[in-house]
Amino acid sequence: MASLSEAELAANFADIAPPLTSDAALLEANKCLFCHDAPCTLACPTHIDVPAFIKKIASGNLRGSARVILDVNPFGHSCARACPVEVLCEGACVLNDRDEQPIKIALLQRHATDRVLEHKWKLFEPGKPTGKRVAVIGAGPAGLACARDRRRAGHAATVFEAKSQPGGLNTYGIAEYKLKADVALAEVQDILDLGVELKLGVMIKSIEPLLKEFDAVFVGVGLGGTKKLGIPGEDLPGVVDALTFIEHLKTHPYKETRVGRSVVVIGAGNTAIDAVTQAKRLGAASATIVYRRGEDDMPAYDYEYDLAKKDGCGFRFNAAPQRIVGNGAVAGLE
Ligand code: SF4
C-alpha cells in the first residue's frame, strides 16, 4: 500500500496545471492576435472557435465565452484539462513561429468553463419536442455528446450505462492530476439537466429490443477491455492492466490503491505514462516503463515523456517482455 501521508498524496495528485487568476486570464487573453484563419481552431478536433472565445474573455464576457466552447464541445471542461494541447491548438498557435510562448488556450478554456460549474449557468435549452426517441448505449463522452445534441434537437434521449457512474474515460480513466472525477461528473450533470434520461448499471446484451422501442440507437461503448500480453505469468497477483489501476485510484481514497515498491509498466503509450507517473506519485520507490521499441517510436507525446522523467520514472527501450516471474505473486519480469 502507499506509504505516503495524506498530505503528500494530495500534493502529488493536485492539478498539474492550476487555474489562472482573473487578472492572469485577462492578460493572457489580450495577448491573442485573434487570427482570421485561426490555425488553433483548425487544429482542434471539435473546431472550437478559439479566437472568438478568447475575445469574449478579453471583454469580460465569460458566459458568452463558455457558450462558444460548449456549443460545439459539451466536454469543454474535461478537454481544457486533459487534451494534449501541445500537439493540437497550442501547438498550432502562430506565436510559436515567432519563438514566443503560444497562448495558453487550455487554461483560458478552463477559466471560462469553470465559471459555468461555479455559477450553475444553464447555457442551452432542449429543442421543441419532435416526438422521436433515441437510445444511447454507453455514458462516455461519445454517448453523452450524442444525447445532448439529440435533446437540443428536440428528441427524447435515454442513455444506458453498465457502470455505476456516467462519464466513461473522463470519470474513470484520465490521470488524477489532470482531471478529477468530480469535475467530469459535474460536466455530465449539465448534460443530464437538459432532460437526458440516464439508466446506470444496465448492461445491454442485444440491440433488437431497443430498435423496437426507439426511433434510433447510438452505440458508444468505448474501446472495450485491455489486450492480454500473451506471455506466461500475466495472471499472477500483482499484475494489473493500466485502466483498472487508474480506475481504482480515481474511485477510492488515494491510500486504498495498492502500489508495489518496484513497479514496471509495459508499453509506452499515453495510458502507460498515466500509469507509471501515478504509480510513482502513489509512493512506488521505482516505476519503470519497459518498451519493446526505441525512444523515437514511443506513442506517448514528448510532454508526457518529459513529465514521466521529471517524476523520476525510468525507461528501458528495446526490451520485449518474455514472461512475468513469481511464486504466488509477481516478483520480476524477464
Ligand atoms: Fe490566438 Fe494563437 Fe489562435 Fe492566433 S493562433 S487566434 S494568436 S491562439
Side-chain angles (χ1 to χ4, degrees):
M1 302 291 277
S3 57
L4 302 181
S5 68
E6 299 278 1
E8 287 171 314
L9 288 166
N12 284 354
F13 289 104
D15 273 1
I16 200 165
L20 296 172
T21 62
S22 295
D23 285 348
L26 210 53
L27 202 64
E28 189 66 20
N30 278 296
K31 284 190 208 158
C32 180
L33 305 176
F34 309 117
C35 307
H36 177 61
D37 293 324
C40 48
T41 293
L42 290 177
C44 170
T46 58
H47 299 313
I48 291 172
D49 189 339
V50 176
F53 92 71
I54 294 181
K55 198 166 224 169
K56 286 187 173 6
I57 293 176
S59 65
N61 179 5
L62 292 179
R63 188 184 173 110
S65 175
R67 198 176 201 292
V68 170
I69 297 160
L70 298 171
D71 184 38
V72 292
N73 182 350
F75 292 93
H77 310 82
S78 298
C79 289
R81 292 162 169 82
C83 265
V85 287
E86 292 80 355
V87 294
L88 297 172
C89 55
E90 291 185 17
C93 176
V94 294
L95 298 186
N96 290 298
D97 300 335
R98 301 177 170 191
D99 284 337
E100 291 176 27
Q101 288 295 311
I103 299 296
K104 295 185 175 85
I105 300 170
L107 284 174
L108 288 173
Q109 180 166 318
R110 176 172 172 175
H111 185 70
T113 54
D114 274 1
R115 301 291 87 73
V116 177
L117 300 182
E118 191 182 312
H119 300 296
K120 300 197 182 331
W121 287 334
K122 293 297 162 211
L123 301 179
F124 305 100
E125 297 288 327
K128 195 163 159 261
T130 62
K132 300 275 185 201
R133 300 176 68 222
V134 179
V136 174
I137 307 173
L144 289 168
C146 171
R148 183 194 81 148
D149 285 354
R150 293 313 83 213
R151 285 299 297 137
R152 289 182 73 189
H155 309 316
T158 303
V159 182
F160 299 92
E161 169 59 48
K163 285 190 182 284
S164 60
Q165 297 275 23
L169 196 66
N170 289 358
T171 303
Y172 290 108
I174 301 219
E176 180 72 353
Y177 49 76
K178 290 186 200 159
L179 173 64
K180 302 223 165 3
D182 57 351
V183 174
L185 291 172
E187 185 174 53
V188 170
Q189 191 56 50
D190 225 25
I191 293 172
L192 298 180
D193 287 349
L194 277 174
V196 171
E197 184 184 20
L198 175 65
K199 298 199 171 180
L200 294 169
V202 180
M203 173 71 86
I204 301 294
K205 300 220 166 99
S206 163
I207 208 165
E208 297 303 327
L210 295 181
L211 287 171
K212 287 195 186 108
E213 199 186 329
F214 292 87
D215 296 289
V217 178
F218 178 85
V219 182
V221 293
L223 295 177
T226 312
K227 266 196 208 158
K228 295 287 254 180
L229 281 169
I231 60 173
E234 67 180 312
D235 294 323
L236 279 169
V239 181
V240 290
D241 76 77
L243 285 177
T244 303
F245 167 65
I246 295 169
E247 179 173 329
H248 193 278
L249 170 61
K250 289 184 71 81
T251 51
H252 294 79
Y254 300 140
K255 280 265 180 205
E256 289 178 19
T257 297
R258 290 175 61 83
V259 65
R261 199 159 33 90
S262 174
V263 174
V264 166
V265 175
I266 299 171
N270 315 109
T271 304
I273 297 284
D274 283 356
V276 79
T277 50
Q278 291 187 107
K280 198 77 175 67
R281 285 166 188 245
L282 273 173
S286 80
T288 306
I289 289 253
V290 170
Y291 182 47
R292 66 198 161 119
R293 298 196 178 100
E295 190 175 6
D296 294 339
D297 304 309
M298 280 198 300
Y301 299 117
D302 288 347
Y303 76 90
E304 292 178 312
Y305 184 29
D306 289 343
L307 174 71
K309 285 190 286 188
K310 269 191 213 135
D311 276 5
C313 302
F315 285 80
R316 291 231 194 147
F317 297 107
N318 303 304
Q322 298 302 304
R323 67 187 180 112
I324 298 164
V325 294
N327 187 8
V330 63
L333 178 69
E334 187 178 295

